[in-house]
Amino acid sequence: DRPQLPVEPNHCLETSPDLSAGVRQVQGYTLKLLAQANNQIEFHESFEPGTRTYTIYGLKPGCRYVVLARWNTLLGHPCQWQECLLFETQPAYQIDVQDVGEHFISIAWQRAPCPSDTDPDSAYQRSTSHQLQFEIVIEGGGHNELTNSIELQSSETSHKLEGLLPATSYALKLRAMSTRGRWGVFSECVRLRTLSMLALTVVRQGENFVKLMLQRRSHQDDEKDEEYR
């Protein structure tokens, strides 16, 4: 038998010859990504043997996925598909309207619930990511309809939109930028209307009294008329 050679600096000993032999037999591999809800193929791609990392974009937020893999042996025969990873994407943000006035709208936001919230023992891996900033897009403004964008720091979880027109419809949506500089998907669009201005009218008057009514337009069904006598 040959004598064992000394270990050179910065070199590692082979601890599993069988595993190393299996790796040498891999001649490229193929990944397939399935949506757990409907088993629809969202991604299918083959890779060269030297590829070790790959980022898949365009997935749906708040969904569960199954990653399947197979590879070709040294003789070029494909192996059977093997399930190698279960994961779920982060859900998108959702907007919660806190208050509405004649000239302002106050909102807050947080991520929508994800499947693992109700299934803590799930085998699906759940990743978390940090945000660099938020962007709020507001559309509306009556006849002079405009689209405005507001960027906020990642520490913000609420905002008050001011300088709006009364009795005007607006649409709001929000998205977050990751620390890698990529924008996520927009939240569901929230449509609402600012309050109309209060109007004071005379209901009835007499010799020594007057009955006044303070009210808004009829489209504000959620606010009762207030009477002052």
Side-chain angles (χ1 to χ4, degrees), residues 38-204:
N38 54 12
N39 286 331
Q40 181 178 352
I41 299 177
E42 300 284 348
F43 178 83
H44 190 280
E45 191 73 32
S46 297
F47 299 92
E48 297 295 329
T51 305
R52 290 295 178 264
T53 61
Y54 189 83
T55 304
I56 303 173
Y57 294 105
L59 302 181
K60 297 178 182 178
C63 293
R64 288 180 166 180
Y65 290 93
V66 180
V67 180
L68 303 175
R70 73 174 180 181
W71 51 89
N72 297 329
T73 64
L74 187 62
L75 299 178
H77 302 304
C79 300
Q80 297 292 328
W81 286 104
Q82 296 186 22
E83 183 180 289
C84 58
L85 179 63
L86 304 174
F87 74 94
E88 64 182 23
T89 53
Q90 282 188 309
Y93 281 88
Q94 59 183 11
I95 295 177
D96 181 25
V97 179
Q98 303 289 306
D99 195 11
V100 180
E102 294 111 348
H103 300 285
F104 74 90
I105 299 174
S106 296
I107 62 173
W109 56 86
Q110 62 181 355
R111 289 197 182 274
C114 61
S116 61
D117 292 339
T118 57
D119 187 12
D121 298 328
S122 172
Y124 287 82
Q125 296 184 18
R126 178 182 179 183
S127 62
T128 57
S129 62
H130 300 283
Q131 285 68 51
L132 187 64
Q133 64 183 35
F134 293 104
E135 180 188 29
I136 301 174
V137 176
I138 177 170
E139 300 175 348
H143 298 293
N144 300 322
E145 186 166 342
L146 299 174
T147 300
N148 294 322
S149 175
I150 303 173
E151 294 185 357
L152 302 172
Q153 297 180 355
S154 59
S155 58
E156 302 290 336
T157 57
S158 62
H159 187 70
K160 186 176 183 179
L161 302 164
E162 299 182 290
L164 306 180
L165 298 176
T168 304
S169 297
Y170 290 93
L172 308 175
K173 55 186 179 180
L174 176 139
R175 64 177 178 175
M177 176 186 286
S178 68
T179 53
R180 295 186 176 183
R182 293 187 62 91
W183 286 108
V185 298
F186 275 108
S187 65
E188 290 188 9
C189 187
V190 175
R191 302 183 184 276
L192 69 165
R193 186 182 180 93
T194 53
L195 298 179
S196 58
M197 299 296 293
L198 287 170
L200 184 64
T201 58
V202 177
V203 177
R204 189 169 65 252

